[in-house]
Structures are given as structure tokens and as C-alpha cells.
Short mmCIF file of all heavy atoms in Angstrom, two decimals:
data_model
loop_
_atom_site.label_atom_id
_atom_site.label_comp_id
_atom_site.label_asym_id
_atom_site.label_seq_id
_atom_site.Cartn_x
_atom_site.Cartn_y
_atom_site.Cartn_z
N ASN A 4 8.27 -4.51 -2.70
CA ASN A 4 7.97 -5.03 -4.02
C ASN A 4 8.73 -4.24 -5.07
O ASN A 4 9.17 -3.12 -4.80
CB ASN A 4 6.47 -4.95 -4.31
CG ASN A 4 6.02 -5.98 -5.33
OD1 ASN A 4 6.83 -6.72 -5.89
ND2 ASN A 4 4.73 -6.02 -5.59
N ASP A 5 8.89 -4.81 -6.26
CA ASP A 5 9.45 -4.11 -7.41
C ASP A 5 8.31 -3.60 -8.27
O ASP A 5 7.37 -4.36 -8.58
CB ASP A 5 10.34 -5.04 -8.23
CG ASP A 5 11.62 -5.42 -7.49
OD1 ASP A 5 12.07 -4.62 -6.65
OD2 ASP A 5 12.15 -6.51 -7.74
N VAL A 6 8.37 -2.34 -8.64
CA VAL A 6 7.33 -1.74 -9.47
C VAL A 6 7.99 -1.12 -10.70
O VAL A 6 9.20 -0.87 -10.71
CB VAL A 6 6.55 -0.66 -8.68
CG1 VAL A 6 5.92 -1.26 -7.44
CG2 VAL A 6 7.45 0.52 -8.32
N PRO A 7 7.21 -0.86 -11.75
CA PRO A 7 7.78 -0.19 -12.92
C PRO A 7 8.42 1.13 -12.54
O PRO A 7 7.87 1.89 -11.73
CB PRO A 7 6.57 0.00 -13.83
CG PRO A 7 5.63 -1.10 -13.44
CD PRO A 7 5.80 -1.24 -11.95
N ALA A 8 9.58 1.43 -13.11
CA ALA A 8 10.30 2.67 -12.79
C ALA A 8 9.42 3.88 -13.06
O ALA A 8 8.78 3.98 -14.11
CB ALA A 8 11.58 2.74 -13.62
N GLY A 9 9.37 4.78 -12.08
CA GLY A 9 8.62 6.01 -12.23
C GLY A 9 7.16 5.91 -11.90
O GLY A 9 6.44 6.92 -11.91
N LEU A 10 6.67 4.70 -11.58
CA LEU A 10 5.24 4.52 -11.31
C LEU A 10 4.74 5.43 -10.19
O LEU A 10 3.62 5.94 -10.23
CB LEU A 10 4.96 3.05 -10.95
CG LEU A 10 3.52 2.72 -10.53
CD1 LEU A 10 2.57 2.90 -11.70
CD2 LEU A 10 3.43 1.30 -9.96
N LEU A 11 5.60 5.65 -9.18
CA LEU A 11 5.17 6.39 -7.99
C LEU A 11 5.64 7.84 -7.99
O LEU A 11 5.50 8.52 -6.98
CB LEU A 11 5.68 5.67 -6.74
CG LEU A 11 5.29 4.20 -6.61
CD1 LEU A 11 5.86 3.61 -5.33
CD2 LEU A 11 3.77 4.01 -6.64
N ASP A 12 6.16 8.30 -9.11
CA ASP A 12 6.68 9.67 -9.15
C ASP A 12 5.58 10.72 -9.18
O ASP A 12 5.83 11.89 -8.86
CB ASP A 12 7.60 9.86 -10.37
CG ASP A 12 8.91 9.10 -10.20
OD1 ASP A 12 9.20 8.68 -9.07
OD2 ASP A 12 9.63 8.94 -11.21
N GLY A 13 4.39 10.35 -9.58
CA GLY A 13 3.26 11.27 -9.64
C GLY A 13 2.17 10.83 -8.69
O GLY A 13 2.45 10.35 -7.58
N PRO A 14 0.91 10.93 -9.09
CA PRO A 14 -0.20 10.47 -8.24
C PRO A 14 -0.13 8.96 -8.03
O PRO A 14 0.06 8.20 -8.98
CB PRO A 14 -1.44 10.86 -9.05
CG PRO A 14 -0.98 11.95 -9.96
CD PRO A 14 0.44 11.61 -10.31
N TRP A 15 -0.32 8.53 -6.79
CA TRP A 15 -0.29 7.10 -6.50
C TRP A 15 -1.59 6.42 -6.89
O TRP A 15 -1.61 5.24 -7.18
CB TRP A 15 0.00 6.88 -5.00
CG TRP A 15 1.44 7.04 -4.64
CD1 TRP A 15 2.29 8.04 -5.05
CD2 TRP A 15 2.19 6.19 -3.78
NE1 TRP A 15 3.53 7.88 -4.51
CE2 TRP A 15 3.52 6.74 -3.71
CE3 TRP A 15 1.92 5.04 -3.07
CZ2 TRP A 15 4.52 6.16 -2.96
CZ3 TRP A 15 2.92 4.46 -2.30
CH2 TRP A 15 4.21 5.01 -2.25
N GLY A 16 -2.71 7.15 -6.81
CA GLY A 16 -3.99 6.58 -7.21
C GLY A 16 -4.34 5.31 -6.44
O GLY A 16 -4.21 5.24 -5.21
N ASP A 17 -4.74 4.27 -7.20
CA ASP A 17 -5.16 3.02 -6.58
C ASP A 17 -4.03 2.29 -5.87
O ASP A 17 -4.28 1.44 -5.02
CB ASP A 17 -5.77 2.08 -7.63
CG ASP A 17 -7.12 2.57 -8.14
OD1 ASP A 17 -7.72 3.42 -7.46
OD2 ASP A 17 -7.55 2.11 -9.21
N VAL A 18 -2.79 2.61 -6.22
CA VAL A 18 -1.66 1.94 -5.57
C VAL A 18 -1.67 2.22 -4.07
O VAL A 18 -1.44 1.32 -3.25
CB VAL A 18 -0.33 2.39 -6.18
CG1 VAL A 18 0.85 1.84 -5.38
CG2 VAL A 18 -0.23 1.92 -7.63
N ALA A 19 -1.96 3.47 -3.68
CA ALA A 19 -2.01 3.81 -2.26
C ALA A 19 -3.08 2.99 -1.54
O ALA A 19 -2.87 2.50 -0.43
CB ALA A 19 -2.30 5.31 -2.10
N TYR A 20 -4.20 2.82 -2.20
CA TYR A 20 -5.30 2.05 -1.61
C TYR A 20 -4.89 0.59 -1.43
O TYR A 20 -5.13 -0.01 -0.38
CB TYR A 20 -6.52 2.16 -2.51
CG TYR A 20 -7.72 1.38 -2.05
CD1 TYR A 20 -8.56 1.87 -1.04
CD2 TYR A 20 -8.03 0.15 -2.61
CE1 TYR A 20 -9.65 1.14 -0.62
CE2 TYR A 20 -9.12 -0.58 -2.21
CZ TYR A 20 -9.94 -0.08 -1.21
OH TYR A 20 -11.03 -0.81 -0.79
N MET A 21 -4.26 0.00 -2.44
CA MET A 21 -3.86 -1.39 -2.36
C MET A 21 -2.78 -1.62 -1.29
O MET A 21 -2.77 -2.64 -0.61
CB MET A 21 -3.36 -1.88 -3.73
CG MET A 21 -4.45 -1.94 -4.78
SD MET A 21 -5.87 -2.92 -4.22
CE MET A 21 -7.04 -2.56 -5.54
N VAL A 22 -1.87 -0.66 -1.17
CA VAL A 22 -0.87 -0.75 -0.11
C VAL A 22 -1.55 -0.75 1.26
O VAL A 22 -1.22 -1.55 2.14
CB VAL A 22 0.13 0.41 -0.21
CG1 VAL A 22 1.02 0.47 1.04
CG2 VAL A 22 1.00 0.27 -1.45
N ALA A 23 -2.53 0.14 1.43
CA ALA A 23 -3.23 0.23 2.71
C ALA A 23 -4.01 -1.04 3.01
O ALA A 23 -4.01 -1.55 4.14
CB ALA A 23 -4.17 1.44 2.69
N VAL A 24 -4.67 -1.59 2.00
CA VAL A 24 -5.43 -2.83 2.17
C VAL A 24 -4.52 -3.96 2.61
O VAL A 24 -4.83 -4.74 3.52
CB VAL A 24 -6.17 -3.21 0.87
CG1 VAL A 24 -6.72 -4.63 0.95
CG2 VAL A 24 -7.31 -2.23 0.61
N SER A 25 -3.35 -4.06 1.97
CA SER A 25 -2.41 -5.13 2.30
C SER A 25 -1.82 -4.99 3.69
O SER A 25 -1.47 -5.98 4.33
CB SER A 25 -1.27 -5.16 1.27
OG SER A 25 -1.76 -5.44 -0.02
N ALA A 26 -1.71 -3.75 4.17
CA ALA A 26 -1.07 -3.51 5.47
C ALA A 26 -2.04 -3.58 6.64
O ALA A 26 -1.62 -3.71 7.79
CB ALA A 26 -0.40 -2.14 5.47
N GLN A 27 -3.34 -3.51 6.38
CA GLN A 27 -4.31 -3.32 7.48
C GLN A 27 -4.29 -4.43 8.52
O GLN A 27 -4.35 -4.16 9.72
CB GLN A 27 -5.72 -3.15 6.92
CG GLN A 27 -6.29 -4.38 6.23
CD GLN A 27 -7.76 -4.21 5.89
OE1 GLN A 27 -8.51 -3.53 6.59
NE2 GLN A 27 -8.19 -4.82 4.79
N ASP A 28 -4.20 -5.70 8.09
CA ASP A 28 -4.25 -6.79 9.06
C ASP A 28 -3.06 -6.73 10.02
O ASP A 28 -3.21 -6.90 11.24
CB ASP A 28 -4.28 -8.14 8.36
CG ASP A 28 -5.62 -8.44 7.72
OD1 ASP A 28 -6.59 -7.71 8.03
OD2 ASP A 28 -5.71 -9.37 6.91
N GLY A 29 -1.88 -6.50 9.47
CA GLY A 29 -0.69 -6.41 10.32
C GLY A 29 -0.76 -5.24 11.26
O GLY A 29 -0.40 -5.35 12.44
N ILE A 30 -1.24 -4.10 10.77
CA ILE A 30 -1.36 -2.92 11.62
C ILE A 30 -2.34 -3.17 12.75
O ILE A 30 -2.08 -2.83 13.91
CB ILE A 30 -1.79 -1.71 10.78
CG1 ILE A 30 -0.66 -1.27 9.85
CG2 ILE A 30 -2.21 -0.54 11.68
CD1 ILE A 30 -1.05 -0.22 8.84
N MET A 31 -3.47 -3.81 12.44
CA MET A 31 -4.48 -4.05 13.47
C MET A 31 -3.98 -5.04 14.52
O MET A 31 -4.37 -4.96 15.68
CB MET A 31 -5.78 -4.53 12.84
CG MET A 31 -6.55 -3.44 12.10
SD MET A 31 -6.87 -1.96 13.10
CE MET A 31 -7.88 -2.66 14.44
N GLN A 32 -3.13 -5.98 14.13
CA GLN A 32 -2.55 -6.88 15.13
C GLN A 32 -1.67 -6.11 16.11
O GLN A 32 -1.67 -6.38 17.31
CB GLN A 32 -1.75 -7.98 14.44
CG GLN A 32 -2.61 -9.00 13.71
CD GLN A 32 -1.78 -10.12 13.09
OE1 GLN A 32 -0.84 -10.62 13.71
NE2 GLN A 32 -2.12 -10.51 11.88
N LEU A 33 -0.92 -5.16 15.58
CA LEU A 33 -0.07 -4.34 16.45
C LEU A 33 -0.93 -3.43 17.32
O LEU A 33 -0.60 -3.21 18.50
CB LEU A 33 0.89 -3.51 15.61
CG LEU A 33 1.94 -4.29 14.83
CD1 LEU A 33 2.79 -3.34 13.98
CD2 LEU A 33 2.84 -5.09 15.77
N VAL A 34 -2.01 -2.90 16.77
CA VAL A 34 -2.93 -2.07 17.56
C VAL A 34 -3.50 -2.88 18.71
O VAL A 34 -3.59 -2.42 19.85
CB VAL A 34 -4.06 -1.51 16.67
CG1 VAL A 34 -5.16 -0.89 17.53
CG2 VAL A 34 -3.50 -0.47 15.71
N ALA A 35 -3.88 -4.13 18.41
CA ALA A 35 -4.42 -5.00 19.47
C ALA A 35 -3.38 -5.24 20.55
O ALA A 35 -3.69 -5.26 21.74
CB ALA A 35 -4.89 -6.33 18.88
#
């Protein structure tokens, strides 16, 4: 995705959580 420049240069905060939420289904399919 494209994000505002510098958004991830410091604390990721809720962004890390949202990335994890979006990735979980795909990861669990690979785990299965």
C-alpha cells in the first residue's frame, strides 16, 4: 500500500495491529 511519507518512521501504533489483522487469514491458510 501507499502511505503518507514518514508515517512509519517512528512508532507504528495501530498500523501494526491493522497490518496483522489483514494478514491473519492468509497466514492461517499457510499454517493449515
Side-chain angles (χ1 to χ4, degrees):
N4 205 357
D5 291 332
V6 302
L10 175 67
L11 305 180
D12 289 346
W15 282 44
D17 290 342
V18 172
Y20 178 80
M21 293 306 171
V22 170
V24 168
S25 297
Q27 66 172 328
D28 286 347
I30 290 172
M31 287 306 299
Q32 288 183 41
L33 294 177
V34 169

